[in-house]
Every structure is written in structure tokens, then in C-alpha cells.
Amino acid sequence: MNGNYIYDVIITGGGIMGSATAYYLSRMAPGLKVAVVERDPSYARASTTLSMSNVRIQFSLKQNIQISQYAFQVLEAFEDEMTVEDRRPRIYFRRDGNLFLVGEENRPAARRAYDLQLSLGCRVQWWSPDQIKERYPLYDTTGILGGTFGPDDGHFDAYAALMAYKAKARSQGVNYLTGDVARIRTAGGRADGVALASGDVLSGGCVVNCGGAWAAQLAGTAGVKLPVIPVKRQVFALDPAVKPEGPLPLTVLLSGLYFRTETGGLILLGKSMEADPVGFNFTWDDQRFMEILWPELAEFVPAWDRLKLVRGWAGLYDVNTLDHNAIIGEWPEIGGLYLATGFSGHGLQQGPAVGRYLAERILKKPVSLDLSIFSPRRILENQPLSEAGIV
Ligand SMILES: Cc1cc2nc3c(=O)[nH]c(=O)nc-3n(C[C@H](O)[C@H](O)[C@H](O)COP(=O)(O)OP(=O)(O)OC[C@H]3O[C@@H](n4cnc5c(N)ncnc54)[C@H](O)[C@@H]3O)c2cc1C
């Protein structure tokens, strides 16, 4: 016997977006009936738990910078705010910084982004090659013009943060259900619930699609075509023979290769590449590291020509092929259908601001930070956001 259950808001996907939205909704509107439907409560394939967990101020679009400013604010108070009874989460927020290298080709974009960040009151510094070398002697700065360093940037335990949002949301009355959403239901131009693969139906006035790399598939069940594709990205964990003296910032080379220190003397490394396969592919291979990434790394950090590849993993970016930026808000053609997807590799840090914004929009409250620039309307109008430089 299948059931029909009634909610005010149904959130599909319980990753950082779904859980942050549920947290804000239940905080702003106690008593609201909110369900989060998540098919895998272990989150083994959720991007949230497979990410590099980096948070940075160094973006070149004003709203992305403001989103990160709010993330910093949230992360600082997070453990207190998310405490449930005597259970205080630990998210190990470490401000080891982000260092973006600057060369001839990206200098104008880096300068524009840097000036914008300063104008918004961010702490960011422009370093010469000597300043970089002085701070991080393992680096070979030959051929670079310098770098921009964000001392407030850093990383945290994404899984712990996700679990904290979930626990807090549940303590505020949110119902987490394990289930596979087969279809978003619509009637009379509005979303009115979801059908689960089990045959159960959840009815409600509002559906929020937080399906991550699966969000476009899910939207498709309501006839909505999103320019969002799942793209495999790999992360490698390395144990170098020569250890750095202290923590290294997330360092982004001109080629796009990036790495940072992790606990246990390890280095985490990744690089987005044109050839990264599209699809729901989670296989991991060491060939890419051995043949392409290691030589690149050892050129910049010569001491790391000796290291052990310890392990690696693959996760999915929900890549917005229109403009590589988030798609957030109500779908103009279907009332009550909200979207939060297309984060293209920087969504973890955007969870708090996006969750708060969606909750405010759904509850028809004034917004604390205007994110309407990310409205899904631009997809229908084929108007990509233009942003030079770092996205
Ligand atoms: C390798 C890698 C590195 C990254 N590094 C960073 C970083 O350093 N900083 C940063 O900010 N971001 C980073 N990101 C991006 C970030 O992880 C994502 O943008 C963010 O986690 C997206 O959150 P989400 O909640 O939208 O998606 P997810 O975390 O993927 O959650 C979506 C959930 O929806 C569920 N779901 C999907 N379809 C259904 C359905 N039909 N029924 C029920 N449940 C469903 C899934 O099981 C999943 O749990 C990285 C991503 C990857 C892959």
C-alpha cells in the first residue's frame, strides 16, 4: 500500500544545499512541514562529501565574493550555532589561505578580481615571487609574476558540516526521508509534490531541487531542461618524501593544478581538465597523476619528485555549461519549483548563503543577500553571466 504524505516544502537531495535550505527554513518558520528526501544517507557519492572543502574569498564576481563573506561568518560561529543539546559538532575550520599564482596571461583578470575584493572589504594580498618564496621555500617561483593570497581562505570538514546541518534541521522539526525521487509532479503550471520510486507520493506547495549533479535529470521529469552536466573530477592524496615546514595554502598554479596540505602529512591535489568525462562515473585512476599531474607538480615543487601516491577518489561537478555559475531560484515557468544547482565546483562554500536565500524566497521574506543574478531566468533567455577571470 503506497501512501500520500503532505508537506509544505519538499526538498529533493540532502547534500549541503538541501540540508542548509532545510535548516534555514525550519529556523525562520518553526512549524513549517519540511521533508528532505535523500536516496543515500551515507552520502557516498554526494559532491559535498567528495569535495576539497575549500572556502575562498578570491572570486571575481561580486555576488560570489559576498557569498563567501557570509560563509566565513557562518563557519566562525558554526560549532556554537549547530550545537544540539550537548552535541557540539567539530568541523576543523582551518584558515591556511589560498594562493593563486599570477603570470603574464592572467595578470589583468587577477588584478581586476583583486581590486574588486579589496573594494568589498576583503583581506587579500598581492605577493611578489620573493614573498611567495620566503613564505613557502619549497616552491620554485621561476617564471611567475607573483600571486594573490587570501589569508582568511581555508578548508573544513565538509562531512561534519553536513551532518551538523542535518542534525540541527531535524532538531528544528525537519523530516529526513530515505527515498529515490522518481519524478517531480506538476499540475496547472505549479509543482505540487514528488513521486518516489517506492510508489509513495509526497504532496506539497513547493519542491526544491537540490539534486546536485543529478539535478538536471530530476528537473527533466518536470519538463525543465537545464544546461547542467555531471563531470568527473579526481582528487589525489600524496605523501611527499620532503614535508613542508607548516601548512600550505590551497595553491593554484597557472595550469589550473591545485594542491593543499591535509592532516597526517598528506597533500591533496586536483585539476579540472577538458578531457574529464561527462556522466555518472566514479572510477579513479592513477595514470593521470603519474603521467600528467606529477611532472607539473614537480616543476613547481622540485622536492616532490619523490612522493607516494596514497589514494584518490572521483566525484562529480554539476557543471553549468551556460556560464559555470550557480542556478538558484524559482523556475519561471513552473510556480513553486525551486532550483539550486550548477555550482560547477564551488558549491560547498555557497551552501549557507544559498540555503538562507532559498528559505527567504520560499517564505516570501526580504532577502539578506540579493542573489537574483543567479536566477534560472537567464537560462530561458540564454543570457550567460559574464565574469572574467576566476570563477
Ligand atoms: C572533487 C570535488 C572537489 C570539490 N571541491 C570544492 C571545494 O573545494 N569548495 C567548494 O566550495 N566546492 C567544491 N566542490 C563542489 C561542491 O562539492 C558542490 O558544489 C556541492 O557539494 C554541491 O552540493 P549539493 O548539495 O548541490 O550536491 P550533493 O552534495 O551532490 O548532494 C545532492 C544529493 O542529492 C541526492 N539525490 C540526487 N538525486 C536524487 C533523487 N532522485 N532522489 C533522492 N536523492 C537524490 C544525492 O544522493 C546527493 O546526496 C567540489 C566537488 C568535487 C566533486
Side-chain angles (χ1 to χ4, degrees):
M1 236 339 233
N2 296 123
N4 189 342
Y5 305 89
I6 315 284
Y7 288 92
D8 297 311
V9 181
I10 299 152
I11 299 172
T12 64
I16 197 72
M17 292 303 162
S19 294
T21 306
Y23 161 72
Y24 281 103
L25 278 169
S26 53
R27 190 176 97 174
M28 291 178 198
L32 194 77
K33 285 196 73 185
V34 180
V36 178
V37 190
E38 169 55 57
R39 69 171 153 223
D40 174 18
S42 81
Y43 293 99
R45 293 188 159 182
S47 303
T48 299
T49 57
L50 296 170
S51 90
M52 287 279 280
S53 307
N54 183 249
V55 49
R56 61 178 152 105
I57 208 69
Q58 298 191 69
F59 284 91
S60 55
L61 183 71
K62 185 175 96 181
Q63 288 78 1
N64 279 333
I65 296 170
Q66 291 170 322
I67 284 174
S68 290
Q69 285 176 315
Y70 181 60
F72 286 160
Q73 206 180 306
V74 166
L75 288 172
E76 269 161 26
F78 195 80
E79 295 179 354
D80 288 336
E81 202 174 306
M82 293 297 146
T83 296
V84 177
E85 292 164 5
D86 59 350
R87 291 189 305 280
R88 190 171 198 273
R90 293 292 311 273
I91 59 162
Y92 304 96
F93 179 32
R94 293 184 56 108
R95 298 196 128 153
D96 294 340
N98 272 32
L99 175 65
F100 283 84
L101 297 187
V102 178
E104 208 53 72
E105 62 273 36
N106 69 341
R107 181 161 52 175
R111 171 58 65 177
R112 270 197 307 277
Y114 173 75
D115 288 343
L116 177 63
Q117 290 150 20
L118 288 182
S119 76
L120 292 169
C122 306
R123 292 208 312 148
V124 60
Q125 298 156 11
W126 190 287
W127 287 356
S128 67
D130 286 348
Q131 284 171 300
I132 296 174
K133 187 88 191 154
E134 193 185 317
R135 190 89 176 256
Y136 306 113
L138 288 180
Y139 293 178
D140 180 352
T141 54
T142 313
I144 61 159
L145 299 177
T148 56
F149 182 72
D152 293 329
D153 298 349
H155 56 91
F156 58 97
D157 183 332
Y159 180 69
L162 173 60
M163 288 301 105
Y165 266 132
K166 181 174 174 180
K168 192 71 179 183
R170 290 177 75 177
S171 77
Q172 294 173 165
V174 172
N175 199 359
Y176 271 75
L177 307 168
T178 300
D180 199 346
V181 176
R183 195 162 57 84
I184 295 172
R185 291 160 48 110
T186 57
R190 286 198 62 83
D192 71 351
V194 300
L196 305 190
S198 65
D200 286 339
V201 169
L202 310 184
S203 301
C206 183
V207 175
V208 192
N209 180 351
C210 295
W214 297 266
Q217 264 187 354
L218 213 47
T221 66
V224 174
K225 210 165 169 300
L226 296 179
V228 176
I229 52 169
V231 180
K232 177 167 93 165
R233 303 291 193 212
Q234 297 190 47
V235 177
F236 302 91
L238 318 170
D239 186 2
V242 178
K243 308 273 190 266
E245 295 263 308
L248 296 176
L250 186 102
T251 305
V252 186
L253 308 191
L254 296 176
S255 66
L257 180 130
Y258 56 86
F259 62 86
R260 70 161 166 86
T261 37
E262 177 58 312
T263 49
L266 295 181
I267 303 295
L268 290 186
L269 172 142
K271 181 179 179 180
S272 298
M273 296 170 79
E274 278 294 313
D276 286 339
V278 175
F280 297 97
N281 179 342
F282 291 87
T283 54
W284 169 76
D285 69 275
D286 59 8
Q287 197 187 353
R288 149 184 305 222
F289 177 75
M290 295 299 186
E291 291 175 4
I292 306 171
L293 305 184
W294 194 3
E296 250 179 73
L297 177 68
E299 210 179 310
F300 185 65
V301 191
W304 290 353
D305 62 349
R306 281 165 301 132
L307 55 75
K308 187 166 77 170
L309 175 56
V310 182
R311 59 179 166 271
W313 68 84
L316 301 176
Y317 274 17
D318 48 344
V319 171
N320 171 358
T321 56
L322 182 70
D323 58 22
H324 293 264
N325 265 294
I327 299 167
I328 315 165
E330 193 172 20
W331 183 249
E333 294 177 336
I334 303 181
L337 176 59
Y338 289 81
L339 304 168
T341 186
F343 294 97
S344 308
H346 50 263
L348 178 70
Q349 62 207 287
Q350 305 203 320
V354 172
R356 181 180 65 172
Y357 177 73
L358 282 177
E360 289 168 343
R361 292 300 302 267
I362 290 165
L363 298 171
K364 313 253 180 284
K365 286 176 178 287
V367 295
S368 309
L369 175 61
D370 183 9
L371 299 181
S372 56
I373 189 173
F374 300 111
S375 162
R377 183 171 291 282
R378 74 186 193 281
I379 292 160
L380 289 173
E381 294 170 354
N382 197 25
Q383 290 287 337
L385 280 179
S386 70
E387 182 188 12
I390 311 156
V391 294

